[in-house]
Amino acid sequence: MDRSPDPLFVSGSGGQTHPWTKLRPQADDHVAISRRGILDTASPRNSRRTALVLGAGRCEEVPLAELAAQFERVHLVDSDEEALLAGMREAGLSGSTGDRVAYEVADLTGVSASFLAAAETLSLSQGTFARWHDALVELATQTQPRPFAPQAHGEAGNPAVGYDLIVASCVLCQLHVAVATGIASLVAERFSKADAAALHASNAWTEALQSLARRMEATFVDSLALLLAPEGRIYFSDTVQVCFIHYLPGGEWGTPGTYRLTRTTDLADYLDRRFEVERLGEWSWVVKPPRESGQIGRLFRVQGLRLRLATSS
């Protein structure tokens, strides 16, 4: 749990002690802010060849139609083909604008599918949960993610020359989710409920998974540097914190605590001397805001950066 001060937190009133921290209810402007930030990052430059959207999903916070109107080629990448196709339909693409958009179904870590396949094989060969658990921890410790290399889609989409715009919107902290959920499903299928509870409580597995997640994040940042054209720009955002919000009498919100989603609560800590930060923004993303007693929503703290490659000294 992250206990650093949060500007959204406000103190209780009347000297009463509350079991949670009170929050000011607020509107959700995440999609609008994200779209403005992406378009600002894509503002006209000398070259307007290609744009790459990593973890595109349904493109809810990505102004796909506007990008397709500005760039010769927009390349969308996600592991969920259904979401990609839905996002392209919902963007209202048509004619030559639609022809500029291509998509690719891929795992941005390069190892999630093979990791889960190996974990399943181990569940069949190790015999007991205890032996499988130890082998799983060892597998996670040895797994090394690979930088993402998109497929080329014709000359205009050739990644060898780099992309003029890369969008990585709220994808960094999601890179390990396929492994985490896949292992949870596997243990529920292959082992007992007591074993599932033991895995959930295992410090060794938690530490191995967290370490793998950090390696996935670091490799993903490497991909950004490798794929960007020399004068290109990156829109890089993520949810660094989350809290679960409850509806309180009188219309206030309350939360029992705030949880960190990334390595630190400063997204810039993921960057090194390869990058220059041109702009930083921070905002809130409210998911299912509670409007009556018993409802629970989520409040994310989002940070967004506009990046370029550092110039050689």
Side-chain angles (χ1 to χ4, degrees):
M1 181 178 296
D2 187 88
R3 299 185 182 278
S4 59
D6 190 315
L8 294 175
F9 285 5
V10 295
S11 60
S13 59
Q16 298 178 352
T17 301
H18 297 278
W20 42 59
T21 302
K22 286 187 176 181
L23 305 172
R24 295 189 296 270
Q26 57 196 279
D28 176 27
D29 296 321
H30 171 65
V31 169
I33 293 173
S34 296
R35 286 174 172 251
R36 286 198 301 268
I38 293 169
L39 290 175
D40 176 70
T41 304
S43 60
R45 313 206 181 270
N46 293 332
S47 177
R48 311 290 295 165
R49 296 188 307 275
T50 56
L52 175 67
V53 184
L54 299 172
R58 297 178 70 101
C59 293
E60 291 172 329
E61 78 274 28
V62 177
L64 181 55
E66 290 88 338
L67 293 180
Q70 294 181 35
F71 289 86
E72 296 174 14
R73 175 71 64 177
V74 179
H75 189 48
L76 309 178
V77 182
D78 200 273
S79 60
D80 187 339
E81 184 174 20
E82 245 181 69
L84 286 169
L85 292 173
M88 293 170 67
R89 287 195 305 269
E90 291 161 8
L93 303 173
S94 60
S96 60
T97 301
D99 292 339
R100 297 176 183 177
V101 179
Y103 75 90
E104 176 181 350
V105 179
D107 166 30
L108 295 175
T109 73
V111 295
S112 295
S114 59
F115 179 92
L116 291 173
E120 183 172 12
T121 298
L122 288 170
S123 74
L124 298 172
S125 65
Q126 294 301 309
T128 67
F129 169 79
R131 291 178 58 186
W132 176 75
H133 167 273
D134 293 345
L136 178 68
V137 169
E138 181 65 19
L139 176 64
T141 301
Q142 294 180 354
T143 297
Q144 181 56 51
R146 297 190 300 270
F148 176 66
Q151 298 174 1
H153 286 266
E155 184 178 351
N158 184 1
V161 299
Y163 290 88
D164 301 285
L165 171 69
I166 298 177
V167 176
S169 175
C170 296
V171 62
L172 186 77
C173 73
Q174 298 296 306
L175 294 171
H176 73 289
V177 169
V179 165
T181 57
I183 291 299
S185 297
L186 178 60
V187 73
E189 177 184 342
R190 300 287 186 190
F191 300 100
S192 68
K193 289 184 178 179
D195 291 334
L199 183 68
H200 182 73
S202 167
N203 289 331
W205 166 240
T206 297
E207 291 172 5
L209 179 60
Q210 288 180 343
S211 180
L212 176 57
R214 299 301 170 244
R215 294 196 299 278
M216 287 178 171
E217 293 165 354
T219 304
F220 180 75
V221 173
D222 289 340
S223 299
L224 298 180
L226 292 170
L227 293 171
L228 190 65
E231 297 300 321
R233 296 294 187 275
I234 301 169
Y235 175 83
F236 183 41
S237 72
D238 221 292
T239 50
V240 298
Q241 287 179 304
V242 64
C243 62
F244 295 92
I245 46 178
H246 301 249
Y247 184 88
L248 301 181
E252 292 180 293
W253 292 349
T255 181
T258 303
Y259 298 86
R260 178 164 49 84
L261 293 177
T262 44
R263 180 166 57 85
T264 76
T265 55
D266 187 349
L267 192 57
D269 286 343
Y270 280 95
L271 307 175
D272 53 33
R273 296 166 63 181
R274 292 173 294 180
F275 301 94
E276 291 181 2
V277 178
E278 293 187 329
R279 186 168 299 180
L280 168 66
E282 186 170 301
W283 61 93
S284 297
W285 178 12
V286 186
V287 177
K288 296 183 179 178
R291 294 185 171 87
E292 59 184 48
S293 180
Q295 292 183 344
I296 301 175
R298 286 172 291 165
L299 177 62
F300 294 93
R301 177 180 164 201
V302 187
Q303 291 180 357
L305 307 174
R306 187 175 75 189
L307 309 175
R308 63 172 297 167
L309 294 177
T311 55
S312 302
S313 56

